[in-house]
């Protein structure tokens, strides 16, 4: 049996990590894109037991059809008022004088949320439960009849499910604006909430693009190193044959 030359050994040691780097880079690129496609909810100013504006960020995951409806389930709020949206109508559903659902539907002839884009759906309401996290399941409907049911709970110490329910994380109430103050802020601060939610969506998208770019660069470098190592190995083999 032939023993490996020092050059061949070095080349093999270079190829292995280079291949691993390429795999990791590709995983980072694809993973970043997948993570950014979830329906999410955010309400930075809402506290436990308080009122405020909630924004749903709804990306269109379909390759062929627009999003034409969104139905969200609420935890029995005393008040919930959807924001006026051109091209959409909203219906508030109550049970026992508590708001349990809001449904947004695109008007006939409206583009809805087109392919490759996202929409934002807001409402002002409360009081929210006095707990740290609140799930707000959402049903997304497309123009071709397909649906995406975002209703799966995310375990505290487990992997994220395929269709996680939009979840709010609520800060403890400090006693400043628990009821009237937060409620007033919800009616006067819609523009500020809009800017915050848009900045949040932009930050998430930028982060995903950065992660994808980094993964692509790492993968490319890994492939280049691998090719160089393989070339060195082949040259070493030819040199050994001539000797």
């Amino acid at each position: 049996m032939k023993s490996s030359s020092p050059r061949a050994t070095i080349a093999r040691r270079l190829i292995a990590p280079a291949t691993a780097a390429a795999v990791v880079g590709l995983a980072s690129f694809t993973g970043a894109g997948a993570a950014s496609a979830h329906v999410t909810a955010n309400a930075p100013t809402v506290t436990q037991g308080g009122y405020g504006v909630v924004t749903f960020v709804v990306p269109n995951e379909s390759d062929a059809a627009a999003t034409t409806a969104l139905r969200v389930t609420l935890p029995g709020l005393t008040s919930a008022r959807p924001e006026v949206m051109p091209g959409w109508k909203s219906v508030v559903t109550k049970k026992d004088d508590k708001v349990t659902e809001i449904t947004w539907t695109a008007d006939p002839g409206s583009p809805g949320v087109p392919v490759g884009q996202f929409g934002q759906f807001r409402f002002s309401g409360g009081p929210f439960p006095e707990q740290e996290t609140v799930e707000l399941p959402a049903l997304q409907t497309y123009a071709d009849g397909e649906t995406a049911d975002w209703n799966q709970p995310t375990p505290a110490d487990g992997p994220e499910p395929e269709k996680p329910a939009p979840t709010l994380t609520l800060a403890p109430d400090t006693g400043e604006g628990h009821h009237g103050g937060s409620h007033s802020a919800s009616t006067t601060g819609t523009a500020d909430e809009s800017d915050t939610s848009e900045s949040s969506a932009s930050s998430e998208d930028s982060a995903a693009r950065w992660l994808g770019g980094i993964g692509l660069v790492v993968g490319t470098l890994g492939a280049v190193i691998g090719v160089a190592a393989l070339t060195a190995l082949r040259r070493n083999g030819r040199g050994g044959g001539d000797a």
Side-chain angles (χ1 to χ4, degrees), residues 31 34-36 38-40 150 152-155 157-165 167:
S36 64
H38 295 165
V39 172
T40 59
W150 303 90
Q152 297 175 316
T154 300
D157 56 354
E160 185 177 66
E162 181 181 359
K163 298 291 183 183
T167 303

Side-chain angles (χ1 to χ4, degrees), residues 90-214:
S90 58
V91 175
V92 175
T93 301
K94 291 186 176 183
K95 182 178 181 180
D96 298 329
D97 292 329
K98 299 291 186 180
V99 180
T100 57
E101 289 182 351
I102 298 179
T103 302
W104 287 269
T105 305
D107 293 334
S110 169
V113 180
V115 173
Q117 299 185 33
F118 75 93
Q120 297 187 81
F121 301 79
R122 303 183 184 89
F123 77 90
S124 172
F128 283 83
E130 296 185 2
Q131 57 194 53
E132 183 177 359
T133 60
V134 178
E135 292 182 353
L136 305 175
L139 180 65
Q140 182 178 11
T141 302
Y142 294 95
D144 59 4
E146 294 293 325
T147 61
D149 202 354
W150 303 90
N151 65 351
Q152 297 175 316
T154 300
D157 56 354
E160 185 177 66
E162 181 181 359
K163 298 291 183 183
T167 303
L168 295 179
T169 299
L170 305 180
D173 176 47
T174 60
E176 298 177 1
H178 166 75
H179 192 79
S182 291
H183 195 196
S184 174
S186 71
T187 59
T188 60
T190 304
D192 292 338
E193 289 291 345
S194 175
D195 292 341
T196 301
S197 61
E198 289 176 1
S199 297
S200 175
S202 177
S203 298
E204 291 175 2
D205 184 63
S206 297
R209 291 175 183 273
W210 273 105
L211 287 173
I214 292 172

